[in-house]
Amino acid sequence: MRLVTIALLVLIGWVQAELWFGKAGVAHVHEQSRELATLRAANDGAKQRNDQLQAEVSDLKEGLEMVEEKARSELGMTKPDELLVVLTPGK
């Protein structure tokens, strides 16, 4: 009986040591939690930057009509198959 008690105490001590100091110990879990928080913050920053870039791309794609209209009216540019006719008001 005494041998079983000693064996159980040694086993409990070993499990406790693994819990506190092992690979999956408390200190390691806290370190991983801090690293996870840092990575999540970096990920949120990257997501915000991606959203901003996506908005810029969308503006550029949709804004081409406005750029084309300005090029036609202010610079007199035409497409390859078009003919530019300028009407001037008479006096």
Side-chain angles (χ1 to χ4, degrees), residues 66-78:
M66 182 179 66
V67 171
E68 183 179 344
E69 183 62 34
K70 282 193 173 194
R72 288 173 182 267
S73 65
E74 294 178 8
L75 302 174
M77 298 179 79
T78 61

Side-chain angles (χ1 to χ4, degrees), residues 38-73:
T38 303
L39 291 174
R40 282 187 177 160
N43 195 19
D44 290 341
K47 184 178 181 341
Q48 188 176 27
R49 178 71 177 138
N50 282 345
D51 292 342
Q52 181 183 7
L53 290 173
Q54 184 63 37
E56 288 179 19
V57 167
S58 177
D59 287 345
L60 288 173
K61 283 182 178 180
E62 294 173 3
L64 287 180
E65 293 173 0
M66 182 179 66
V67 171
E68 183 179 344
E69 183 62 34
K70 282 193 173 194
R72 288 173 182 267
S73 65

